[in-house]
Tab-separated table of all heavy atoms in Angstrom:
chain	number	residue	atom	x	y	z
A	309	SER	N	7.023	-33.387	-15.616
A	309	SER	CA	6.668	-34.515	-14.756
A	309	SER	C	7.348	-35.803	-15.217
A	309	SER	O	7.861	-36.573	-14.397
A	309	SER	CB	5.150	-34.699	-14.744
A	309	SER	OG	4.784	-35.800	-13.948
A	310	ALA	N	7.386	-36.016	-16.528
A	310	ALA	CA	8.001	-37.228	-17.072
A	310	ALA	C	9.498	-37.288	-16.776
A	310	ALA	O	10.075	-38.378	-16.676
A	310	ALA	CB	7.756	-37.302	-18.580
A	311	ASN	N	10.103	-36.127	-16.649
A	311	ASN	CA	11.543	-36.076	-16.382
A	311	ASN	C	11.858	-35.804	-14.915
A	311	ASN	O	13.009	-35.487	-14.574
A	311	ASN	CB	12.184	-35.007	-17.262
A	311	ASN	CG	12.252	-35.416	-18.719
A	311	ASN	OD1	13.172	-36.112	-19.143
A	311	ASN	ND2	11.249	-35.002	-19.494
A	312	ALA	N	10.825	-35.943	-14.064
A	312	ALA	CA	10.987	-35.793	-12.609
A	312	ALA	C	11.608	-34.453	-12.232
A	312	ALA	O	12.442	-34.370	-11.324
A	312	ALA	CB	11.811	-36.945	-12.056
A	313	VAL	N	11.199	-33.399	-12.936
A	313	VAL	CA	11.680	-32.049	-12.639
A	313	VAL	C	10.680	-31.371	-11.712
A	313	VAL	O	9.508	-31.196	-12.074
A	313	VAL	CB	11.855	-31.212	-13.928
A	313	VAL	CG1	12.276	-29.785	-13.574
A	313	VAL	CG2	12.874	-31.863	-14.848
A	314	GLU	N	11.125	-31.021	-10.539
A	314	GLU	CA	10.273	-30.347	-9.571
A	314	GLU	C	10.371	-28.833	-9.763
A	314	GLU	O	11.447	-28.296	-10.042
A	314	GLU	CB	10.685	-30.705	-8.144
A	314	GLU	CG	10.546	-32.182	-7.804
A	314	GLU	CD	9.093	-32.633	-7.782
A	314	GLU	OE1	8.209	-31.765	-7.585
A	314	GLU	OE2	8.843	-33.831	-7.962
A	315	TYR	N	9.270	-28.154	-9.592
A	315	TYR	CA	9.249	-26.707	-9.798
A	315	TYR	C	10.203	-25.973	-8.859
A	315	TYR	O	10.790	-24.954	-9.219
A	315	TYR	CB	7.828	-26.166	-9.628
A	315	TYR	CG	6.998	-26.306	-10.873
A	315	TYR	CD1	6.457	-27.541	-11.230
A	315	TYR	CD2	6.753	-25.218	-11.702
A	315	TYR	CE1	5.712	-27.688	-12.378
A	315	TYR	CE2	6.005	-25.351	-12.843
A	315	TYR	CZ	5.482	-26.588	-13.189
A	315	TYR	OH	4.750	-26.719	-14.344
A	316	ILE	N	10.352	-26.500	-7.663
A	316	ILE	CA	11.232	-25.825	-6.711
A	316	ILE	C	12.679	-25.815	-7.190
A	316	ILE	O	13.478	-24.948	-6.806
A	316	ILE	CB	11.124	-26.491	-5.321
A	316	ILE	CG1	11.712	-25.554	-4.253
A	316	ILE	CG2	11.797	-27.847	-5.301
A	316	ILE	CD1	11.425	-26.003	-2.838
A	317	GLN	N	13.027	-26.765	-8.075
A	317	GLN	CA	14.396	-26.847	-8.555
A	317	GLN	C	14.778	-25.651	-9.421
A	317	GLN	O	15.941	-25.263	-9.456
A	317	GLN	CB	14.601	-28.151	-9.342
A	317	GLN	CG	14.492	-29.407	-8.485
A	317	GLN	CD	14.567	-30.664	-9.319
A	317	GLN	OE1	13.750	-30.901	-10.204
A	317	GLN	NE2	15.559	-31.498	-9.037
A	318	PHE	N	13.827	-25.110	-10.164
A	318	PHE	CA	14.177	-24.015	-11.069
A	318	PHE	C	13.491	-22.692	-10.732
A	318	PHE	O	13.996	-21.628	-11.091
A	318	PHE	CB	13.859	-24.391	-12.524
A	318	PHE	CG	12.415	-24.685	-12.804
A	318	PHE	CD1	11.526	-23.672	-13.106
A	318	PHE	CD2	11.949	-25.995	-12.767
A	318	PHE	CE1	10.188	-23.940	-13.377
A	318	PHE	CE2	10.614	-26.277	-13.041
A	318	PHE	CZ	9.735	-25.251	-13.337
A	319	SER	N	12.360	-22.749	-10.030
A	319	SER	CA	11.629	-21.504	-9.810
A	319	SER	C	11.869	-20.881	-8.440
A	319	SER	O	11.467	-19.742	-8.205
A	319	SER	CB	10.123	-21.723	-10.011
A	319	SER	OG	9.598	-22.620	-9.045
A	320	PHE	N	12.527	-21.637	-7.543
A	320	PHE	CA	12.784	-21.058	-6.223
A	320	PHE	C	13.591	-19.771	-6.357
A	320	PHE	O	13.267	-18.752	-5.745
A	320	PHE	CB	13.538	-22.053	-5.336
A	320	PHE	CG	13.825	-21.514	-3.956
A	320	PHE	CD1	12.912	-21.679	-2.927
A	320	PHE	CD2	15.012	-20.830	-3.685
A	320	PHE	CE1	13.164	-21.180	-1.653
A	320	PHE	CE2	15.274	-20.324	-2.418
A	320	PHE	CZ	14.347	-20.498	-1.404
A	321	ARG	N	14.656	-19.790	-7.151
A	321	ARG	CA	15.485	-18.602	-7.295
A	321	ARG	C	14.729	-17.491	-8.018
A	321	ARG	O	14.936	-16.314	-7.741
A	321	ARG	CB	16.780	-18.940	-8.032
A	321	ARG	CG	17.819	-17.828	-7.904
A	321	ARG	CD	19.182	-18.273	-8.347
A	321	ARG	NE	19.304	-18.331	-9.798
A	321	ARG	CZ	20.451	-18.548	-10.438
A	321	ARG	NH1	21.565	-18.755	-9.745
A	321	ARG	NH2	20.492	-18.592	-11.754
A	322	TRP	N	13.858	-17.860	-8.942
A	322	TRP	CA	13.038	-16.836	-9.606
A	322	TRP	C	12.262	-16.036	-8.567
A	322	TRP	O	12.226	-14.804	-8.602
A	322	TRP	CB	12.039	-17.493	-10.551
A	322	TRP	CG	12.613	-18.142	-11.757
A	322	TRP	CD1	13.921	-18.211	-12.117
A	322	TRP	CD2	11.879	-18.832	-12.764
A	322	TRP	NE1	14.061	-18.897	-13.284
A	322	TRP	CE2	12.819	-19.290	-13.713
A	322	TRP	CE3	10.538	-19.102	-12.955
A	322	TRP	CZ2	12.438	-20.011	-14.850
A	322	TRP	CZ3	10.149	-19.811	-14.080
A	322	TRP	CH2	11.096	-20.256	-15.016
A	323	MET	N	11.595	-16.767	-7.671
A	323	MET	CA	10.735	-16.125	-6.685
A	323	MET	C	11.547	-15.400	-5.619
A	323	MET	O	11.195	-14.297	-5.186
A	323	MET	CB	9.832	-17.163	-6.010
A	323	MET	CG	8.997	-17.987	-6.956
A	323	MET	SD	7.899	-16.999	-7.995
A	323	MET	CE	7.020	-18.306	-8.856
A	324	ASN	N	12.635	-16.015	-5.200
A	324	ASN	CA	13.440	-15.462	-4.120
A	324	ASN	C	14.172	-14.194	-4.544
A	324	ASN	O	14.333	-13.261	-3.748
A	324	ASN	CB	14.453	-16.505	-3.643
A	324	ASN	CG	15.107	-16.125	-2.334
A	324	ASN	OD1	14.424	-15.835	-1.357
A	324	ASN	ND2	16.430	-16.121	-2.303
A	325	ASN	N	14.611	-14.134	-5.794
A	325	ASN	CA	15.412	-13.011	-6.275
A	325	ASN	C	14.722	-12.183	-7.353
A	325	ASN	O	15.335	-11.269	-7.913
A	325	ASN	CB	16.747	-13.520	-6.830
A	325	ASN	CG	17.556	-14.290	-5.801
A	325	ASN	OD1	17.465	-15.507	-5.729
A	325	ASN	ND2	18.320	-13.587	-5.001
A	326	LEU	N	13.456	-12.512	-7.644
A	326	LEU	CA	12.701	-11.779	-8.676
A	326	LEU	C	13.470	-11.704	-9.989
A	326	LEU	O	13.525	-10.663	-10.643
A	326	LEU	CB	12.349	-10.367	-8.177
A	326	LEU	CG	11.534	-10.296	-6.877
A	326	LEU	CD1	11.124	-8.859	-6.596
A	326	LEU	CD2	10.315	-11.201	-6.920
A	327	LEU	N	14.091	-12.831	-10.362
A	327	LEU	CA	14.823	-12.979	-11.628
A	327	LEU	C	16.074	-12.116	-11.708
A	327	LEU	O	16.638	-11.950	-12.790
A	327	LEU	CB	13.902	-12.688	-12.830
A	327	LEU	CG	12.684	-13.598	-12.968
A	327	LEU	CD1	11.802	-13.134	-14.110
A	327	LEU	CD2	13.113	-15.039	-13.207
A	328	MET	N	16.532	-11.603	-10.587
A	328	MET	CA	17.698	-10.726	-10.602
A	328	MET	C	18.945	-11.427	-11.129
A	328	MET	O	19.822	-10.794	-11.712
A	328	MET	CB	17.978	-10.215	-9.186
A	328	MET	CG	17.112	-9.059	-8.745
A	328	MET	SD	17.473	-7.567	-9.675
A	328	MET	CE	19.223	-7.407	-9.405
A	329	ARG	N	19.047	-12.733	-10.930
A	329	ARG	CA	20.260	-13.449	-11.325
A	329	ARG	C	20.121	-14.160	-12.663
A	329	ARG	O	21.015	-14.909	-13.064
A	329	ARG	CB	20.645	-14.452	-10.233
A	329	ARG	CG	20.924	-13.785	-8.889
A	329	ARG	CD	21.406	-14.765	-7.856
A	329	ARG	NE	21.584	-14.128	-6.549
A	329	ARG	CZ	22.002	-14.755	-5.458
A	329	ARG	NH1	22.298	-16.046	-5.520
A	329	ARG	NH2	22.137	-14.108	-4.324
A	330	GLU	N	19.005	-13.938	-13.336
A	330	GLU	CA	18.754	-14.635	-14.595
A	330	GLU	C	19.033	-13.774	-15.822
A	330	GLU	O	19.226	-14.313	-16.919
A	330	GLU	CB	17.287	-15.114	-14.658
A	330	GLU	CG	16.749	-15.721	-13.377
A	330	GLU	CD	17.578	-16.901	-12.892
A	330	GLU	OE1	18.088	-17.672	-13.725
A	330	GLU	OE2	17.716	-17.042	-11.654
A	331	PHE	N	19.031	-12.456	-15.667
A	331	PHE	CA	19.125	-11.562	-16.813
A	331	PHE	C	20.123	-10.438	-16.562
A	331	PHE	O	20.432	-10.116	-15.403
A	331	PHE	CB	17.752	-10.940	-17.121
A	331	PHE	CG	16.694	-11.939	-17.459
A	331	PHE	CD1	15.720	-12.277	-16.527
A	331	PHE	CD2	16.665	-12.555	-18.702
A	331	PHE	CE1	14.736	-13.205	-16.831
A	331	PHE	CE2	15.691	-13.482	-19.007
A	331	PHE	CZ	14.725	-13.808	-18.080
A	332	PRO	N	20.605	-9.805	-17.631
A	332	PRO	CA	21.436	-8.603	-17.455
A	332	PRO	C	20.656	-7.523	-16.717
A	332	PRO	O	19.423	-7.455	-16.803
A	332	PRO	CB	21.752	-8.172	-18.900
A	332	PRO	CG	21.547	-9.396	-19.729
A	332	PRO	CD	20.453	-10.177	-19.050
A	333	LEU	N	21.371	-6.654	-16.025
A	333	LEU	CA	20.720	-5.659	-15.184
A	333	LEU	C	19.800	-4.743	-15.980
A	333	LEU	O	18.725	-4.371	-15.510
A	333	LEU	CB	21.778	-4.831	-14.445
A	333	LEU	CG	21.258	-3.808	-13.429
A	333	LEU	CD1	20.366	-4.479	-12.383
A	333	LEU	CD2	22.424	-3.102	-12.752
Side-chain angles (χ1 to χ4, degrees):
S309 179
N311 288 276
V313 177
E314 297 293 337
Y315 277 77
I316 196 169
Q317 294 175 300
F318 61 86
S319 64
F320 180 89
R321 194 167 76 172
W322 291 0
M323 305 301 184
N324 193 53
N325 301 94
L326 302 187
L327 299 175
M328 280 292 305
R329 300 185 184 180
E330 317 303 324
F331 299 104
L333 185 56

